[in-house]
Amino acid sequence: MKIVVCLKQVPDTETKIKLGADGQSIDTNGIKWVVNPYDEYAVEEAVKTRDAHPGSQVHVLCVGPKKRTADAVRTALAMGADEGILIDAPENLDPATTAQALAKAIQAEGGAQLIFAGKLAIDDNASSVPQMVAELLSIPHTTVVSKLAVTPESVTAERDVEGGAKEVAQLALPAVIAANKGLNMPRYASLPGIMKAKKKVLKELDLAGLGVNTVALTKTLSLELPADKPPVKMLTGDSGAQAAQLVQLLRDEAKVL
Amino acid sequence: MGKILVFTEAANGKLKRSSIELLTAAKKSGQPFIAAIAGSQAAGAAPALSSSGAAEVHTFEDGKFDQYNPELYTAALSDLITKSGATVVLASASALGKDLFPRIAARLKSAVLSDCTELSFNGDKAVVKRPVYSGKAFAKVTFDQSPIQFVLMRANQLPTEELSGGSAAVTKHAAPAGDLKTLIKDVVKGTSEKLDLTEANIIVSGGRGLKEAANFKMLNDLADVLGATVGASRAVVDAGWVSHGMQVGQTGKTVAPSLYIAVGVSGAIQHLAGMSGSKVIVAINSDPNAPIFQKATYGIVGDAFEIVPKLTEEFKKALHK
C-alpha cells in the first residue's frame, strides 16, 4: 500500500510573533520552525499503518520554501517515513494553491492508496487542505479523525464532532484522512533514525514543474497583533467578598450576565 | 451586486444562534440572500428561514441527508450554489462547515476563509478578520480572483436580530444520484446535552489546580447555574480526568465566548492560544504568578475550593435561581 503524508512546517507555538515590514506577513527572522503538531499524528498513523501492511511505503510531501522545509521532512523520515519530497513554494501559499500542488504531486508520483494530513495547521488555521486534496483527486475524505482501522480496500474512521459526538464512516480507498489529537501517540525520532534521515536524498519538485495554477484567490490586506488588554483587575478581600464583587463586576461593568 | 447564500444549521427544531448571526449579517449587507439547510432538521427549520427575509429557501430533507456525508453534501450544495448564482456563501465554522466547504470550494475553483471573527462587505467583496498563529495575530483578508467567496464564521461573533416578516417560497431538493465511496456507519451521540464549547457563550474551564477528576463536579455546578459549558486544560485531559472533547487550546478547541472562567488553569501558551479571544476572562488560581492572570480581565488569587462554591451561590442570587 502506498501511503502519503502531507506535512506542513510551521512556527513553533512558543515563538513570539512579530509583524513583517510589509504589514501583511510575519517577520520570519529568528523563528524556530517545527512540524505542525497535528501532522505528527498523521506521520505516526502512516508509519503504524505501513508496519501493519507489509510491502507498504510512506512518502512525505511538504509544500513551502525548500530551504527550511527539508528539516521538517527529515523529522518525519526520522520517525520512520521512507521517502521525502519537497515541493518548493513561496512563503504563505494559500490553502487552495497548496492543495493543488499536493494533488498534482501525488498524481505525478503515481497516486496513493491512503493520504494522511493533520486536521489543521497552527499557522494559517485554515483546516482546508486535506478536503481540497481529496476533491482534486476525486476521492473521499474524512477529517478530525481520532480512531482509524485500515484494511487493503477501505478504512473505518471515527470523526470528532460537536458535543463529544462521533461520526463513524467507512471510506473506500484511496482516501484522505485528516488526523486529530487522540489518534495515536506520535513517537520520538530515534537517534539511528535521525542519522539515517540526515543522509537521505530528498526529491525536489516545484509549482511550475507541476503545472500549478497560482492565480491569487484571496488577498491579505493586513496582519495585526491583538490589541493590548487593559491590566487585570485583581479582586481582594475574603473569598465571600471576592465572589460577590466578581458577580457585581460581571453584571454591571463587563455586562456579560 | 452579488447574491449571498447562507447555509444554516439547526438543532432541536430551532435554528442555531450561529446561523441566525449569518442570516442577520446577510440581511444587513443589503445584498439579496437565499437560505439553505440540509438534514433531519431541515423541514422543522424551513418556516423560520422562510420568514427570515431570505428571497428563497432551499431544503434537502431526503433521509439520505440525515447523516452528514461529505460526498453527498458536496454534490448537492455545489449544484445549488452554481444554479443559484450566489457569489458569496456564508456558513458556520462548525464541525460540518469546516469539513464540507473547503471541498465544495475546491470543486468550484474557489477559496474558503475559515474561522472568521469579523465580517463586512466592500462592494460585493467580503472582508473578514481571522485569527492566525494560534490567535497571536489577526489577518484581515478579502477575496481576489475567487469565483465564489466562501466565508466560515465562528459562533458568537456577530450580532443577531429578530428575523421575521418574510415569506419566501421553500424549494425541496432531492438527493443527487451517483455512487458514494463514503458510507456513514454510525453517529455516536455525545454524553453532554450542553452546547459545544465552540458554540457556548459562557465557559467554565478547569485545570490541574482542581487536584482530581471528581472535583470537576464543582465546576459542573457553577456551569449549571450559568448555563455554561465546561472545558478543561490539556494537562487534565492528558491525565484522563475528562475527555479530549473538553480540551481548550492548541490541540483542543479554539473558543471565543463572552465569558471564560478559568479555575486552577495556569495558562500555558497552548491553552491561551485557544481562549484568548474570549471577551471577558476570569482567572481563579492559587498562584499569583500564573500566566493566566496576564490575559485575564478579573483575577482572584485564592483557593478554588473555597471560592467556586461561593461564586455559584452569588450567581444563583444574581440570576434569581
Side-chain angles (χ1 to χ4, degrees):
Chain A
M1 182 180 307
K2 187 156 156 200
I3 304 168
V4 160
V5 180
C6 303
L7 195 77
K8 191 173 190 185
Q9 192 188 37
V10 298
D12 185 50
T13 317
E14 313 273 344
T15 300
K16 189 166 164 57
I17 294 297
K18 287 177 287 182
L19 296 188
D22 63 358
Q24 288 166 12
S25 59
I26 59 164
D27 178 357
T28 53
N29 279 318
I31 278 186
K32 184 184 166 202
W33 296 93
V34 298
V35 172
N36 177 46
Y38 289 103
D39 299 353
E40 291 182 7
Y41 302 113
V43 174
E44 176 64 32
E45 201 63 17
V47 171
K48 259 174 60 179
T49 304
R50 176 203 58 200
D51 293 346
H53 295 83
S56 300
Q57 271 222 321
V58 175
H59 297 232
V60 176
L61 263 62
C62 186
V63 178
K66 65 180 181 189
K67 266 200 322 219
R68 62 168 169 82
T69 55
D71 277 352
V73 171
R74 288 192 198 283
T75 302
L77 292 174
M79 286 172 73
D82 300 292
E83 300 292 335
I85 301 173
L86 305 175
I87 305 171
D88 194 32
E91 294 282 358
N92 304 314
L93 199 68
D94 69 61
T97 315
T98 303
Q100 241 194 89
L102 289 165
K104 285 182 187 271
I106 290 166
Q107 281 168 329
E109 293 295 303
Q113 279 299 95
L114 201 44
I115 299 165
F116 287 104
K119 73 161 181 182
L120 68 80
I122 63 164
D123 54 354
D124 68 7
N125 188 35
S127 57
S128 300
V129 170
Q131 301 92 303
M132 289 179 152
V133 169
E135 173 61 26
L136 296 173
L137 295 174
S138 302
I139 60 177
H141 81 265
T142 185
T143 58
V144 204
V145 172
S146 60
K147 198 174 171 191
L148 188 73
V150 181
T151 74
E153 293 80 33
S154 69
V155 295
T156 302
E158 252 183 51
R159 155 181 153 76
D160 299 331
V161 294
E162 280 101 355
K166 289 179 187 294
E167 295 171 354
V168 186
Q170 186 182 312
L171 285 69
L173 294 182
V176 176
I177 304 294
N180 193 18
K181 182 186 174 178
L183 180 59
N184 51 48
M185 283 291 284
R187 69 193 68 189
Y188 290 103
S190 65
L191 195 58
I194 294 169
M195 299 312 288
K196 221 169 99 190
K198 265 189 187 161
K199 287 186 216 139
K200 197 107 188 175
V201 178
L202 305 180
K203 189 167 176 176
E204 294 184 9
L205 301 170
D206 59 40
L207 299 183
L210 289 168
V212 174
N213 179 357
T214 53
V215 59
L217 298 179
T218 59
K219 190 161 107 187
T220 298
L221 300 170
S222 63
L223 194 68
E224 34 191 274
L225 300 179
D228 282 338
K229 279 208 166 204
V232 55
K233 197 177 267 187
M234 298 302 292
L235 311 183
T236 52
D238 65 21
S239 56
Q242 286 173 322
Q245 205 187 340
L246 178 62
V247 172
Q248 182 255 321
L249 285 167
L250 291 175
R251 190 182 49 202
D252 302 334
E253 186 179 82
K255 296 189 167 55
V256 287
L257 292 187
Chain B
M1 180 97 108
K3 189 199 259 183
I4 301 175
L5 185 149
V6 184
F7 180 77
T8 58
E9 296 178 44
N12 307 318
K14 279 166 70 182
L15 284 174
K16 289 192 179 180
R17 186 198 141 94
S18 51
S19 293
I20 299 172
E21 290 177 39
L22 300 174
L23 291 164
T24 304
K27 199 171 192 175
K28 281 186 176 167
S29 76
Q31 304 180 60
F33 72 99
I34 62 177
I37 190 162
S40 57
Q41 298 285 328
L49 292 176
S50 174
S51 67
S52 69
E56 304 160 17
V57 175
H58 298 269
T59 65
F60 298 87
E61 300 176 23
D62 190 304
K64 288 182 184 153
F65 290 99
D66 283 359
Q67 292 161 338
Y68 168 60
N69 183 319
E71 285 178 83
L72 182 73
Y73 273 58
T74 298
L77 268 301
S78 307
D79 193 46
L80 174 64
I81 292 163
T82 309
K83 287 189 178 142
S84 69
T87 52
V88 175
V89 175
L90 299 182
S92 297
S94 59
L96 187 154
K98 289 211 268 196
D99 187 85
L100 172 63
F101 286 97
R103 182 156 196 145
I104 295 178
R107 184 164 297 188
L108 302 179
K109 303 201 171 355
S110 297
V112 54
L113 294 170
S114 183
D115 261 317
C116 303
T117 55
E118 284 179 22
L119 168 68
S120 60
F121 288 92
N122 180 9
D124 54 8
K125 286 269 202 291
V127 181
V128 303
K129 204 169 178 183
R130 49 188 308 276
V132 290
Y133 300 103
S134 310
K136 286 187 278 187
F138 286 87
K140 196 172 167 191
V141 192
T142 189
F143 291 88
D144 195 345
Q145 300 187 47
S146 187
I148 316 277
Q149 308 169 47
F150 289 90
V151 174
L152 305 184
M153 290 296 303
R154 264 193 200 166
N156 298 323
Q157 306 297 317
L158 298 171
T160 58
E161 275 175 14
E162 180 83 16
L163 299 166
S164 58
S167 59
V170 177
T171 308
K172 284 186 202 177
H173 297 262
D179 284 343
L180 299 172
K181 295 171 206 154
T182 309
L183 182 67
I184 306 303
K185 307 276 278 185
D186 197 8
V187 178
V188 185
K189 276 209 174 125
T191 46
S192 173
E193 294 292 306
K194 292 196 173 143
L195 278 177
D196 188 68
L197 283 169
T198 53
E199 298 171 347
N201 199 36
I202 303 182
I203 292 172
V204 179
S205 211
R208 219 173 342 211
L210 287 176
K211 298 204 168 72
E212 58 177 307
N215 293 331
F216 262 80
K217 171 157 194 320
M218 185 171 80
L219 297 195
N220 290 334
D221 294 344
L222 175 58
D224 285 346
V225 172
L226 288 168
T229 301
V230 177
S233 71
R234 175 178 180 160
V236 305
V237 169
D238 286 354
W241 295 3
V242 295
S243 69
H244 174 241
M246 288 170 67
Q247 186 184 325
V248 173
Q250 181 173 278
T251 44
K253 286 178 174 154
T254 304
V255 300
S258 296
L259 174 60
Y260 188 91
I261 303 179
V263 182
V265 176
S266 63
I269 192 156
Q270 288 83 354
H271 189 78
L272 300 179
M275 49 63 82
S276 55
S278 308
K279 274 193 205 93
V280 174
I281 297 169
V282 173
I284 300 171
N285 206 294
S286 56
D287 174 7
N289 297 317
I292 188 82
F293 286 119
Q294 287 162 27
K295 290 280 170 192
T297 322
Y298 303 114
I300 295 177
V301 176
D303 181 357
F305 299 98
E306 223 182 275
I307 292 157
V308 172
K310 287 193 174 141
L311 205 47
T312 305
E313 287 312 309
E314 289 292 336
F315 277 125
K316 260 188 205 164
K317 274 194 263 167
L319 301 167
H320 308 294
K321 285 192 177 169

